[in-house]
Tab-separated table of all heavy atoms in Angstrom:
chain	number	residue	atom	x	y	z
A	1	ASP	N	126.638	87.752	116.454
A	1	ASP	CA	125.399	87.496	115.708
A	1	ASP	C	124.481	88.725	115.762
A	1	ASP	O	123.855	89.084	114.759
A	1	ASP	CB	124.674	86.275	116.295
A	1	ASP	CG	125.439	84.982	116.038
A	1	ASP	OD1	126.304	84.983	115.148
A	1	ASP	OD2	125.163	83.988	116.727
A	2	ALA	N	124.395	89.341	116.941
A	2	ALA	CA	123.547	90.526	117.087
A	2	ALA	C	124.060	91.676	116.221
A	2	ALA	O	123.274	92.389	115.577
A	2	ALA	CB	123.494	90.954	118.556
A	3	MET	N	125.375	91.853	116.187
A	3	MET	CA	125.953	92.911	115.361
A	3	MET	C	125.710	92.643	113.876
A	3	MET	O	125.418	93.570	113.109
A	3	MET	CB	127.456	93.021	115.641
A	3	MET	CG	127.788	93.560	117.027
A	3	MET	SD	129.565	93.526	117.390
A	3	MET	CE	130.173	94.650	116.143
A	4	ARG	N	125.820	91.366	113.485
A	4	ARG	CA	125.581	91.022	112.083
A	4	ARG	C	124.119	91.268	111.710
A	4	ARG	O	123.814	91.806	110.633
A	4	ARG	CB	125.961	89.557	111.840
A	4	ARG	CG	125.832	89.133	110.386
A	4	ARG	CD	126.546	87.823	110.109
A	4	ARG	NE	126.137	86.755	110.994
A	4	ARG	CZ	126.896	86.257	111.969
A	4	ARG	NH1	128.104	86.748	112.175
A	4	ARG	NH2	126.462	85.285	112.735
A	5	MET	N	123.193	90.898	112.617
A	5	MET	CA	121.765	91.119	112.347
A	5	MET	C	121.451	92.617	112.293
A	5	MET	O	120.663	93.067	111.446
A	5	MET	CB	120.940	90.443	113.447
A	5	MET	CG	119.429	90.597	113.236
A	5	MET	SD	118.885	89.924	111.628
A	5	MET	CE	119.249	88.175	111.878
A	6	GLU	N	122.079	93.397	113.174
A	6	GLU	CA	121.864	94.840	113.165
A	6	GLU	C	122.330	95.441	111.838
A	6	GLU	O	121.674	96.317	111.275
A	6	GLU	CB	122.626	95.483	114.319
A	6	GLU	CG	122.405	96.986	114.428
A	6	GLU	CD	123.157	97.600	115.602
A	6	GLU	OE1	123.757	96.824	116.367
A	6	GLU	OE2	123.133	98.830	115.742
A	7	PHE	N	123.451	94.932	111.315
A	7	PHE	CA	123.955	95.419	110.028
A	7	PHE	C	122.975	95.084	108.898
A	7	PHE	O	122.696	95.929	108.035
A	7	PHE	CB	125.322	94.786	109.749
A	7	PHE	CG	125.869	95.106	108.383
A	7	PHE	CD1	126.427	96.345	108.122
A	7	PHE	CD2	125.811	94.170	107.361
A	7	PHE	CE1	126.930	96.653	106.864
A	7	PHE	CE2	126.310	94.469	106.096
A	7	PHE	CZ	126.870	95.714	105.849
A	8	ILE	N	122.437	93.849	108.930
A	8	ILE	CA	121.477	93.447	107.902
A	8	ILE	C	120.226	94.323	107.949
A	8	ILE	O	119.702	94.752	106.924
A	8	ILE	CB	121.106	91.952	108.077
A	8	ILE	CG1	122.329	91.073	107.779
A	8	ILE	CG2	119.938	91.566	107.169
A	8	ILE	CD1	122.112	89.603	108.101
A	9	LEU	N	119.733	94.595	109.165
A	9	LEU	CA	118.547	95.449	109.324
A	9	LEU	C	118.821	96.871	108.833
A	9	LEU	O	117.959	97.508	108.212
A	9	LEU	CB	118.115	95.467	110.792
A	9	LEU	CG	117.529	94.153	111.335
A	9	LEU	CD1	117.270	94.266	112.828
A	9	LEU	CD2	116.246	93.789	110.594
A	10	GLN	N	120.007	97.370	109.119
A	10	GLN	CA	120.358	98.707	108.650
A	10	GLN	C	120.381	98.770	107.131
A	10	GLN	O	119.890	99.729	106.525
A	10	GLN	CB	121.729	99.117	109.218
A	10	GLN	CG	121.713	99.443	110.697
A	10	GLN	CD	123.099	99.773	111.214
A	10	GLN	OE1	124.105	99.582	110.529
A	10	GLN	NE2	123.168	100.274	112.443
A	11	GLN	N	120.943	97.706	106.510
A	11	GLN	CA	120.987	97.667	105.050
A	11	GLN	C	119.575	97.612	104.463
A	11	GLN	O	119.276	98.280	103.474
A	11	GLN	CB	121.797	96.453	104.581
A	11	GLN	CG	123.291	96.541	104.894
A	11	GLN	CD	123.943	97.721	104.216
A	11	GLN	OE1	124.275	98.715	104.844
A	11	GLN	NE2	124.130	97.639	102.914
A	12	ALA	N	118.694	96.796	105.100
A	12	ALA	CA	117.313	96.682	104.618
A	12	ALA	C	116.582	98.019	104.764
A	12	ALA	O	115.811	98.426	103.880
A	12	ALA	CB	116.583	95.590	105.397
A	13	THR	N	116.827	98.724	105.885
A	13	THR	CA	116.197	100.026	106.102
A	13	THR	C	116.659	101.037	105.060
A	13	THR	O	115.850	101.801	104.509
A	13	THR	CB	116.538	100.548	107.515
A	13	THR	OG1	116.072	99.610	108.487
A	13	THR	CG2	115.880	101.905	107.764
A	14	LEU	N	117.952	101.036	104.761
A	14	LEU	CA	118.481	101.942	103.750
A	14	LEU	C	117.889	101.656	102.374
A	14	LEU	O	117.560	102.578	101.616
A	14	LEU	CB	120.015	101.835	103.702
A	14	LEU	CG	120.777	102.383	104.923
A	14	LEU	CD1	122.258	102.086	104.797
A	14	LEU	CD2	120.554	103.887	105.057
A	15	GLU	N	117.744	100.359	102.050
A	15	GLU	CA	117.163	99.986	100.750
A	15	GLU	C	115.701	100.415	100.674
A	15	GLU	O	115.244	100.923	99.644
A	15	GLU	CB	117.289	98.470	100.556
A	15	GLU	CG	116.734	97.946	99.248
A	15	GLU	CD	117.484	98.465	98.031
A	15	GLU	OE1	118.621	98.958	98.201
A	15	GLU	OE2	116.927	98.377	96.927
A	16	ALA	N	114.962	100.231	101.774
A	16	ALA	CA	113.559	100.648	101.802
A	16	ALA	C	113.441	102.166	101.657
A	16	ALA	O	112.584	102.671	100.911
A	16	ALA	CB	112.900	100.191	103.102
A	17	ASP	N	114.322	102.891	102.330
A	17	ASP	CA	114.308	104.353	102.211
A	17	ASP	C	114.603	104.787	100.778
A	17	ASP	O	114.001	105.741	100.262
A	17	ASP	CB	115.342	104.965	103.159
A	17	ASP	CG	114.944	104.819	104.626
A	17	ASP	OD1	113.760	104.538	104.882
A	17	ASP	OD2	115.824	104.972	105.502
A	18	ARG	N	115.540	104.076	100.145
A	18	ARG	CA	115.877	104.415	98.756
A	18	ARG	C	114.684	104.226	97.824
A	18	ARG	O	114.387	105.069	96.976
A	18	ARG	CB	117.047	103.550	98.279
A	18	ARG	CG	117.554	103.891	96.881
A	18	ARG	CD	118.594	102.902	96.418
A	18	ARG	NE	118.009	101.583	96.237
A	18	ARG	CZ	117.326	101.208	95.148
A	18	ARG	NH1	117.107	102.067	94.170
A	18	ARG	NH2	116.846	99.988	95.042
A	19	LYS	N	113.982	103.119	98.001
A	19	LYS	CA	112.819	102.852	97.153
A	19	LYS	C	111.702	103.879	97.398
A	19	LYS	O	111.013	104.298	96.471
A	19	LYS	CB	112.307	101.436	97.414
A	19	LYS	CG	113.250	100.356	96.902
A	19	LYS	CD	112.686	98.972	97.134
A	19	LYS	CE	113.611	97.906	96.567
A	19	LYS	NZ	113.081	96.535	96.790
A	20	ILE	N	111.524	104.269	98.655
A	20	ILE	CA	110.512	105.281	98.983
A	20	ILE	C	110.850	106.606	98.299
A	20	ILE	O	109.985	107.280	97.734
A	20	ILE	CB	110.409	105.467	100.511
A	20	ILE	CG1	109.781	104.217	101.146
A	20	ILE	CG2	109.587	106.705	100.860
A	20	ILE	CD1	109.822	104.226	102.664
A	21	ILE	N	112.124	106.966	98.345
A	21	ILE	CA	112.548	108.218	97.717
A	21	ILE	C	112.333	108.165	96.205
A	21	ILE	O	111.877	109.131	95.593
A	21	ILE	CB	114.024	108.499	98.055
A	21	ILE	CG1	114.161	108.810	99.552
A	21	ILE	CG2	114.575	109.645	97.223
A	21	ILE	CD1	115.595	108.885	100.033
A	22	GLU	N	112.671	106.995	95.594
A	22	GLU	CA	112.464	106.850	94.154
A	22	GLU	C	110.983	106.958	93.794
A	22	GLU	O	110.600	107.643	92.832
A	22	GLU	CB	113.026	105.510	93.684
A	22	GLU	CG	114.538	105.462	93.616
A	22	GLU	CD	115.037	104.141	93.066
A	22	GLU	OE1	114.184	103.233	92.844
A	22	GLU	OE2	116.250	104.004	92.861
A	23	ALA	N	110.141	106.261	94.562
A	23	ALA	CA	108.697	106.290	94.291
A	23	ALA	C	108.138	107.693	94.473
A	23	ALA	O	107.311	108.165	93.678
A	23	ALA	CB	107.973	105.310	95.220
A	24	LYS	N	108.601	108.400	95.491
A	24	LYS	CA	108.131	109.768	95.729
A	24	LYS	C	108.554	110.678	94.585
A	24	LYS	O	107.792	111.546	94.139
A	24	LYS	CB	108.703	110.269	97.053
A	24	LYS	CG	108.182	111.650	97.436
A	24	LYS	CD	108.746	112.070	98.787
A	24	LYS	CE	108.221	113.461	99.155
A	24	LYS	NZ	108.778	113.927	100.456
A	25	GLY	N	109.771	110.461	94.075
A	25	GLY	CA	110.247	111.262	92.962
A	25	GLY	C	109.421	111.044	91.708
A	25	GLY	O	109.066	112.005	91.005
A	26	GLU	N	109.108	109.778	91.421
A	26	GLU	CA	108.292	109.479	90.251
A	26	GLU	C	106.882	110.065	90.391
A	26	GLU	O	106.311	110.620	89.444
A	26	GLU	CB	108.213	107.965	90.050
A	26	GLU	CG	109.544	107.344	89.640
A	26	GLU	CD	109.445	105.836	89.475
A	26	GLU	OE1	108.313	105.312	89.640
A	26	GLU	OE2	110.470	105.202	89.187
A	27	ARG	N	106.335	109.951	91.606
A	27	ARG	CA	104.997	110.498	91.850
A	27	ARG	C	104.979	112.010	91.657
A	27	ARG	O	104.090	112.575	91.015
A	27	ARG	CB	104.554	110.148	93.275
A	27	ARG	CG	103.125	110.619	93.621
A	27	ARG	CD	102.923	110.589	95.113
A	27	ARG	NE	103.793	111.565	95.762
A	27	ARG	CZ	103.985	111.617	97.083
A	27	ARG	NH1	103.402	110.739	97.880
A	27	ARG	NH2	104.791	112.544	97.594
A	28	ASP	N	105.995	112.688	92.205
A	28	ASP	CA	106.060	114.140	92.064
A	28	ASP	C	106.227	114.551	90.608
A	28	ASP	O	105.653	115.549	90.160
A	28	ASP	CB	107.222	114.692	92.906
A	28	ASP	CG	106.974	114.540	94.407
A	28	ASP	OD1	105.817	114.291	94.782
A	28	ASP	OD2	107.944	114.681	95.189
A	29	ALA	N	107.034	113.765	89.865
A	29	ALA	CA	107.236	114.086	88.448
A	29	ALA	C	105.929	113.959	87.674
A	29	ALA	O	105.583	114.812	86.841
A	29	ALA	CB	108.307	113.172	87.864
A	30	GLN	N	105.184	112.865	87.938
A	30	GLN	CA	103.902	112.676	87.260
A	30	GLN	C	102.915	113.781	87.634
A	30	GLN	O	102.148	114.284	86.792
A	30	GLN	CB	103.304	111.299	87.635
A	30	GLN	CG	104.078	110.113	87.095
A	30	GLN	CD	104.007	110.031	85.581
A	30	GLN	OE1	103.064	110.526	84.950
A	30	GLN	NE2	105.026	109.412	84.992
A	31	LYS	N	102.954	114.188	88.887
A	31	LYS	CA	102.055	115.238	89.343
A	31	LYS	C	102.363	116.562	88.648
A	31	LYS	O	101.461	117.276	88.188
A	31	LYS	CB	102.177	115.392	90.861
A	31	LYS	CG	101.215	116.410	91.444
A	31	LYS	CD	101.373	116.467	92.970
A	31	LYS	CE	100.412	117.509	93.555
A	31	LYS	NZ	100.559	117.586	95.029
A	32	ILE	N	103.633	116.873	88.568
A	32	ILE	CA	104.047	118.117	87.908
A	32	ILE	C	103.652	118.087	86.433
A	32	ILE	O	103.167	119.069	85.869
A	32	ILE	CB	105.562	118.324	88.061
A	32	ILE	CG1	105.900	118.607	89.531
A	32	ILE	CG2	106.061	119.470	87.194
A	32	ILE	CD1	107.380	118.585	89.840
A	33	LEU	N	103.875	116.911	85.802
A	33	LEU	CA	103.550	116.780	84.381
A	33	LEU	C	102.050	116.931	84.138
A	33	LEU	O	101.610	117.632	83.225
A	33	LEU	CB	104.043	115.430	83.857
A	33	LEU	CG	103.838	115.161	82.375
A	33	LEU	CD1	104.576	116.197	81.541
A	33	LEU	CD2	104.308	113.760	82.011
A	34	SER	N	101.238	116.269	84.976
A	34	SER	CA	99.785	116.328	84.789
A	34	SER	C	99.235	117.731	85.065
A	34	SER	O	98.324	118.203	84.398
A	34	SER	CB	99.093	115.317	85.704
A	34	SER	OG	99.339	115.630	87.060
A	35	GLU	N	99.833	118.403	86.050
A	35	GLU	CA	99.387	119.759	86.347
A	35	GLU	C	99.775	120.743	85.251
A	35	GLU	O	99.096	121.739	85.003
A	35	GLU	CB	99.978	120.217	87.683
A	35	GLU	CG	99.378	119.500	88.886
A	35	GLU	CD	100.064	119.913	90.179
A	35	GLU	OE1	101.102	120.624	90.088
A	35	GLU	OE2	99.592	119.527	91.270
A	36	GLY	N	100.850	120.422	84.540
A	36	GLY	CA	101.300	121.325	83.482
A	36	GLY	C	100.568	121.149	82.177
A	36	GLY	O	100.567	122.041	81.325
A	37	LEU	N	99.908	119.989	81.943
A	37	LEU	CA	99.194	119.726	80.688
A	37	LEU	C	97.775	120.307	80.747
A	37	LEU	O	96.784	119.596	80.847
A	37	LEU	CB	99.163	118.214	80.419
A	37	LEU	CG	100.501	117.581	80.023
A	37	LEU	CD1	100.339	116.087	79.859
A	37	LEU	CD2	101.050	118.203	78.750
A	38	THR	N	97.634	121.616	80.650
A	38	THR	CA	96.319	122.275	80.628
A	38	THR	C	95.765	122.253	79.199
A	38	THR	O	96.479	121.968	78.225
A	38	THR	CB	96.453	123.717	81.105
A	38	THR	OG1	97.335	124.408	80.214
A	38	THR	CG2	97.033	123.779	82.516
A	39	ASP	N	94.487	122.560	79.081
A	39	ASP	CA	93.859	122.585	77.743
A	39	ASP	C	94.540	123.599	76.843
A	39	ASP	O	94.735	123.363	75.640
A	39	ASP	CB	92.363	122.914	77.879
A	39	ASP	CG	91.610	121.781	78.578
A	39	ASP	OD1	92.156	120.651	78.584
A	39	ASP	OD2	90.523	122.036	79.118
A	40	LYS	N	94.880	124.766	77.388
A	40	LYS	CA	95.536	125.789	76.606
A	40	LYS	C	96.862	125.302	76.061
A	40	LYS	O	97.214	125.537	74.903
A	40	LYS	CB	95.780	127.038	77.473
A	40	LYS	CG	94.541	127.915	77.673
A	40	LYS	CD	94.223	128.633	76.366
A	40	LYS	CE	93.089	129.652	76.578
A	40	LYS	NZ	92.758	130.296	75.280
A	41	LEU	N	97.637	124.590	76.938
A	41	LEU	CA	98.940	124.088	76.520
A	41	LEU	C	98.793	123.056	75.418
A	41	LEU	O	99.541	123.050	74.434
A	41	LEU	CB	99.693	123.494	77.724
A	41	LEU	CG	101.092	122.955	77.434
A	41	LEU	CD1	101.995	124.048	76.872
A	41	LEU	CD2	101.712	122.355	78.688
């Protein structure tokens, strides 16, 4: 039971890390886009 619970926790941690990476990527993309849209451009 302990091994099964440890596996479930590991899977949940991996999924959370994946979502964090996705959110960080989207945030960085928006930041780059907003910084690139100057008045001159």
Side-chain angles (χ1 to χ4, degrees):
D1 291 342
M3 291 174 63
R4 184 165 54 252
M5 181 58 65
E6 183 179 355
F7 174 77
I8 293 172
L9 291 174
Q10 287 177 350
Q11 292 299 106
T13 301
L14 291 174
E15 180 64 17
D17 290 344
R18 184 187 66 81
K19 290 182 178 180
I20 290 172
I21 292 171
E22 286 183 354
K24 184 178 180 182
E26 292 179 3
R27 183 196 65 191
D28 292 345
Q30 292 293 335
K31 183 178 179 180
I32 292 170
L33 183 61
S34 62
E35 290 176 351
L37 289 177
T38 61
D39 293 340
K40 282 288 187 182
L41 181 59

